[in-house]
Amino acid sequence: LLFRNYTQPYGKTTCIVEDAEGVMWLGTEYGIFEANVPLELPNKIYVSDVNNPFKFSPQNILTVSEEPITALAVSTQAISEGQFGMYPFYAFTEDGTWVLEVSNEGALTRPKPTSRLVCLSQQTTASTDTELIFAANSGVYSIAGSTITLISQMFRPYAYFETSKLPESLKNIATTHGATIVDINEDFNTFAANSVIAYDSVNKRIFVSNHDKGLTYIYSIKSGAWTVVSNFTFVETLNTYPETQVVTQTPSGYKVC
């Protein structure tokens, strides 16, 4: 039998054996592995070979750090026609943020640590036209190249708000214009830790939504201002750039909007 090199990360397979209990074992260049047990290597990124999506050659396997990867993101903005920035790929691990280069062969190379900030999850990342947005324990950040900026600084350390403290005149103005005033009784960083982030490319806005809390914070890239709404939340985003589509949860199920 001829075993093609389709069993990465085990490496090249040289033989396969079934034991008395019916378990299949692979003999590979990296050792012996049980065939039906997935090998977890959470600190590595695998890039398939050109024109062969089923083959992962060793030179296309990149170890980012010693810690697991929590999220991956790419920069979508070219710095000139046909040319992207030096660091078009980002890896967020449990020990910080890393920027990666792309080789001429399409492989990811030269991971470089750029910050000790730890992205919370894949759902708390979003690509804008010029930068990436991600949430860490200390707030919501933007990253462009290797420059990271805190954009939720107005909420530090706390930004509690009680509607009972508003003057009646302001409440009446809000009601007249159909606005709803809500209480904010939780640290924003705690709120963001369990949220989902989406990007509205048409209006240049970033949404940080927490369905369990019933609130969505909205950040305007144009003005640098934040607002909050209580009549719209979502639980997942869909990759439909340049359009923005999210999944909302209703009593009757889920809905794409």
Side-chain angles (χ1 to χ4, degrees):
L1 295 177
L2 175 63
F3 295 95
R4 297 293 298 276
N5 189 18
Y6 291 159
T7 54
Q8 294 285 357
Y10 306 109
K12 183 178 181 181
T13 302
T14 57
C15 64
I16 183 169
V17 177
E18 180 179 5
D19 64 18
E21 298 180 355
V23 178
M24 305 298 291
W25 296 88
L26 300 176
T28 78
E29 59 182 326
Y30 298 135
I32 300 175
F33 299 91
E34 186 177 346
N36 59 343
V37 176
L39 181 62
E40 294 186 4
L41 298 172
N43 64 331
K44 296 182 182 294
I45 298 176
Y46 293 81
V47 179
S48 64
D49 290 4
V50 177
N51 299 324
N52 192 344
F54 301 104
K55 183 177 180 181
F56 298 86
S57 298
Q59 64 269 22
N60 291 341
I61 302 174
L62 178 68
T63 300
V64 178
S65 76
E66 297 300 322
E67 298 298 325
I69 297 170
T70 58
L72 298 172
V74 296
S75 174
T76 60
Q77 178 68 26
I79 59 176
S80 62
E81 185 68 26
Q83 181 183 5
F84 282 82
M86 178 180 295
Y87 303 116
F89 201 94
Y90 299 84
F92 301 97
T93 72
E94 291 184 0
D95 63 354
T97 303
W98 300 70
V99 291
L100 310 175
E101 296 183 27
V102 178
S103 69
N104 294 332
E105 293 74 28
L108 298 175
T109 62
R110 301 176 63 184
K112 174 185 176 183
T114 187
S115 171
R116 300 296 294 179
L117 292 170
V118 177
C119 178
L120 299 174
S121 70
Q122 187 69 52
Q123 285 192 314
T124 58
T125 65
S127 296
T128 74
D129 299 319
T130 58
E131 56 196 356
L132 298 174
I133 306 298
F134 71 96
N137 284 328
S138 53
V140 177
Y141 293 82
S142 67
I143 177 171
S146 57
T147 302
I148 297 180
T149 304
L150 177 67
I151 63 173
S152 61
Q153 64 269 20
M154 68 170 293
F155 298 109
R156 298 182 69 185
Y158 298 99
Y160 296 153
F161 176 78
E162 296 179 3
T163 57
S164 60
K165 296 182 180 180
L166 271 181
E168 288 298 324
S169 58
L170 291 180
K171 292 182 182 179
N172 293 334
I173 293 175
T175 303
T176 302
H177 289 81
T180 301
I181 306 174
V182 297
D183 288 331
I184 299 175
N185 53 15
E186 183 179 34
D187 173 28
F188 176 77
N189 295 343
T190 302
F191 172 92
N194 300 295
S195 65
V196 179
I197 296 180
Y199 174 58
D200 174 12
S201 61
V202 176
N203 299 296
K204 310 301 180 187
R205 299 180 299 179
I206 297 166
F207 292 78
V208 183
S209 182
N210 188 321
H211 177 75
D212 293 336
K213 301 298 181 181
L215 296 174
T216 297
Y217 284 81
I218 304 174
Y219 176 74
S220 170
I221 296 178
K222 296 178 181 179
S223 66
W226 285 88
T227 188
V228 60
V229 296
S230 61
N231 58 351
F232 173 73
T233 64
F234 52 90
V235 295
E236 187 177 350
T237 62
L238 302 178
N239 185 14
T240 56
Y241 184 86
E243 296 180 351
T244 302
Q245 287 190 322
V246 296
V247 179
T248 61
Q249 185 175 353
T250 65
S252 59
Y254 295 91
K255 178 182 178 181
V256 176
C257 60

